[in-house]
Amino acid sequence: MLASRAHLAKQAAAMLVRQPACLMHHGGDWGNWGNTNVAVVFSGCGWWDGTDIHEAAYTMYHLSRNGARFQIFAPNQQQMHVMDHMKMQPSSSDNRNMMIESARFSHGQGMMQMNDLSKLDVSSFDAVIFPGGHGVVKNLILLCLWLSLSSMAPLLACRVLPNLEVTMGYERDESSRWGRWPNTTMVQAVKSMGARHNTREPYEAYVDEKNKVISTPTFMWETDFHYHYIFDGIGNMVKHVMRMTAK
C-alpha cells in the first residue's frame, strides 16, 4: 500500500511540475483544435468525499467545446471514507474504490473510459486538470503522502511548486445576495505554504504564467442558484489551457 502511494506521489508531482496544471473554474479556437491533449484527474464521485459532479461535468463540457482531446483518470485505491451527502457526515457504508466511483463520470467507451492514474504517461499530455471536491484533499493528498488539510485542489500544486500564485476566491467571507465565501481559511493554508493568493470572482480564473498553473474558485463560493458563474469560471480556465498549449 505504501509503495503504491509513493508511486502515486511521484506521478502527481511529475504532472504538476512538467505540465500546465489547472486547478479548479467561452468558446474560442486557439488554433490547436483537436491537438491539445488533457488529462483530467478525479478522486471519487461526490463533493463531500470525492470529485464534485458539477466541476467534473463542466470541465469535460468546456474541453469538448474548445476542441481539446482528453482522457480521465483516478487512483485505483480505496477512498478515505464514504459520506452521506444528505446528512453531510460519514456513512456507515464500507469504503469505496476511487477509480470505480469516478467511473460514474464515464460512459466506459473509447477515450471516455476511466483509466488507472498509476498508468498515466505525463509525456502524452499537454495539461492536467484536477476538478475540485473534498476528495482532492481527503484522497489525493492522503494517497500521495502530502500535507493532509481540509482544503481544495490548489493545495496540491502549492505543496509541490515553490512561489506559486493561485486563487481560491475571496480572502474574507463577504457575503452578498448572490453567494457566500465560507471557506476562506483555505486561503491561509495556501499562504502558509509560501504561495501568493489572488482574489477572484467565481466566474474568473487566475493564471500563473511562470509556473503554468491556472486556478479558479468554483465551490469555494457557495451559492443557492447561480451555478452558471462557476460554469463560466471553468470555461475561462479551459480557454487559458488552450491558449497556453497552442501548437
Side-chain angles (χ1 to χ4, degrees):
M1 187 66 167
L2 288 177
S4 62
R5 290 181 177 181
H7 179 70
L8 284 174
K10 292 180 181 179
Q11 287 289 105
M15 286 188 289
L16 289 170
V17 172
R18 296 175 55 185
Q19 310 296 334
C22 308
L23 307 170
M24 345 221 229
H25 263 274
H26 277 263
D29 184 357
W30 292 97
N32 55 339
W33 190 271
N35 294 321
T36 294
N37 294 303
V38 180
V40 183
V41 179
F42 297 135
S43 57
C45 181
W47 169 251
W48 288 105
D49 56 13
T51 294
D52 179 76
I53 60 172
H54 302 89
E55 296 187 38
Y58 295 170
T59 297
M60 291 188 287
Y61 167 86
H62 283 294
L63 286 170
S64 175
R65 171 61 69 185
N66 283 274
R69 296 166 57 87
F70 62 93
Q71 288 182 261
I72 52 180
F73 295 85
N76 187 14
Q77 299 284 344
Q78 295 296 103
Q79 63 187 54
M80 180 178 176
H81 58 204
V82 178
M83 290 287 288
D84 182 326
H85 281 61
M86 290 287 289
K87 299 179 180 178
M88 294 181 288
Q89 64 186 31
S91 168
S92 58
S93 302
D94 293 335
N95 281 350
R96 301 179 184 180
N97 180 282
M98 279 182 280
M99 187 173 169
I100 293 174
E101 291 298 295
S102 297
R104 295 173 183 272
F105 297 117
S106 167
H107 284 192
Q109 301 176 9
M111 301 296 283
M112 281 298 292
Q113 184 174 2
M114 183 58 62
N115 297 282
D116 188 336
L117 180 60
S118 66
K119 305 291 179 58
L120 191 155
D121 178 6
V122 295
S123 65
S124 299
F125 295 92
D126 302 299
V128 57
I129 296 178
F130 294 86
H134 283 78
V136 169
V137 292
K138 289 182 176 179
N139 300 326
L140 293 185
I141 289 182
L142 176 64
L143 282 170
C144 294
L145 303 181
W146 291 348
L147 184 62
S148 181
L149 296 171
S150 180
S151 56
M152 302 300 157
L155 282 170
L156 285 171
C158 292
R159 183 63 175 170
V160 175
L161 301 174
N163 304 316
L164 194 63
E165 293 194 33
V166 299
T167 186
M168 298 186 81
Y170 280 26
E171 298 192 4
R172 293 183 297 174
D173 187 3
E174 299 177 2
S175 299
S176 70
R177 60 179 295 191
W178 306 116
R180 303 161 298 279
W181 295 92
N183 301 296
T184 53
T185 55
M186 299 303 100
V187 174
Q188 300 308 315
V190 164
K191 290 182 176 180
S192 71
M193 287 187 282
R196 177 181 174 182
H197 183 264
N198 297 271
T199 298
R200 289 294 185 275
E201 299 291 345
Y203 50 82
E204 295 180 307
Y206 181 82
V207 182
D208 183 336
E209 297 280 356
K210 180 179 179 180
N211 290 296
K212 297 184 178 181
V213 170
I214 309 166
S215 53
T216 186
T218 61
F219 287 100
M220 290 289 93
W221 182 63
E222 288 187 357
T223 179
D224 294 324
F225 307 108
H226 299 87
Y227 281 23
H228 64 285
Y229 287 137
I230 294 169
F231 178 88
D232 291 343
I234 293 178
N236 284 324
M237 177 196 73
V238 171
K239 284 202 303 182
H240 285 297
V241 172
M242 303 302 287
R243 174 181 63 82
M244 293 171 69
T245 58
K247 298 176 180 178

